[in-house]
Structure formats: structure tokens, C-alpha cells
Amino acid sequence: MKEPNDVILRSVTKVAVVIIFTFAINLFISGHHYPGGGFIGGLTFSSAVILLFLTFDIKTVRKNIPLDFKVVAAIGVLIAVFTGVGAMVFDVPFLTQTFDYIELPIFGKTELATAVLFDVGVALAVIGTSLTIIMSIGDDR
């Protein structure tokens, strides 16, 4: 059977995925002070990968992104939990966050917060879980 010629779909998808990934990073970074964060950034990131799954097939995308998303989800949960437990090491309540400002050469005065580590964990957990679910649904054909 001959494969369909969907050059336009594949070309538009490649551009759209880059835009969606960029927007996901923006949502993740801005989530500390504005609406967004690890959860919605992770979902947006997953939506770009799902668009790749739909345009190309899951096997092709899996060859190019050889990650076990169950492991990604587990690592995300561990990062989020250890961020919360880390506060208890300093004798403060679970998930107490702290921040400080440092001077970076290009960016100037920049805030560093432990909440970002928690958001990284949440994002990885969401990406891993959502893509595991989508791939298991896709494999059930």
C-alpha cells in the first residue's frame, strides 16, 4: 500500500511543534510569578509530542525520542517529593519554599527559588504520565 503524500501536514507540524515547545517553556518559566507553571507547561509540551504522534506515527517518533515516559514520570515525582522533604531537613514544614537573588553576568539580578525545582518535578511527572497514557491508548489498535 502506498503511503499518503502529506508534505504540507508534515512541514506545518514541524514548525508548529517548535512554536508549541517554545510556548511550553514560556508557560513553565512565567509560572513562578504569573499564570502557568509545571503542570500547564508539561501539558503543553506533551501536546506538541502528541501532535508529532498524530502526524508521523508513534514508532517513528519513539525512534527519535527514545525515552521511557514511565521513568520520566517517576523521576518527576521523586524530584517534587524530594523538594518538599528538603525543606524538612532545615526544620521547616513540608514544601516550604525559599528564594534568593544572585547577580548573573548577562541577566543581572536574578531570583533563584526552590519552587522552580518543584515545578520541574511536576512538569516531568505530567509529561511522563500523559505521554504514557496516550501511547498505551495508541498501542491498543
Side-chain angles (χ1 to χ4, degrees):
M1 185 171 161
K2 187 177 175 184
E3 286 199 25
N5 185 3
D6 44 354
V7 175
I8 295 174
L9 176 64
R10 291 174 186 245
S11 299
V12 169
T13 296
K14 290 174 186 176
V15 172
V17 164
V18 170
I19 293 169
I20 295 169
F21 280 153
T22 305
F23 183 57
I25 292 168
N26 179 44
L27 282 173
F28 175 81
I29 292 172
S30 67
H32 190 62
H33 294 291
Y34 303 104
F39 186 80
I40 193 65
L43 281 179
T44 307
F45 187 92
S46 294
S47 71
V49 177
I50 293 167
L51 179 60
L52 289 172
F53 286 161
L54 292 172
T55 302
F56 305 94
D57 57 83
I58 291 179
K59 290 178 186 168
T60 303
V61 177
R62 295 287 294 147
K63 271 192 269 181
N64 292 311
I65 307 173
L67 293 174
D68 183 359
F69 290 108
K70 291 179 208 127
V71 173
V72 172
I75 289 171
V77 169
L78 287 174
I79 290 172
V81 168
F82 285 139
T83 303
V85 172
M88 296 171 67
V89 171
F90 296 103
D91 202 27
V92 292
F94 181 75
L95 276 179
T96 300
Q97 304 296 317
T98 186
F99 68 95
D100 199 4
Y101 291 94
I102 64 165
E103 194 71 32
L104 293 177
I106 295 173
F107 299 106
K109 187 176 180 182
T110 305
E111 179 184 27
L112 287 180
T114 57
V116 174
L117 289 175
F118 179 76
D119 274 345
V120 167
V122 170
L124 290 176
V126 168
I127 291 167
T129 303
S130 61
L131 291 177
T132 299
I133 291 169
I134 292 297
M135 285 190 309
S136 67
I137 291 170
D139 288 342
D140 286 345
R141 291 194 235 171

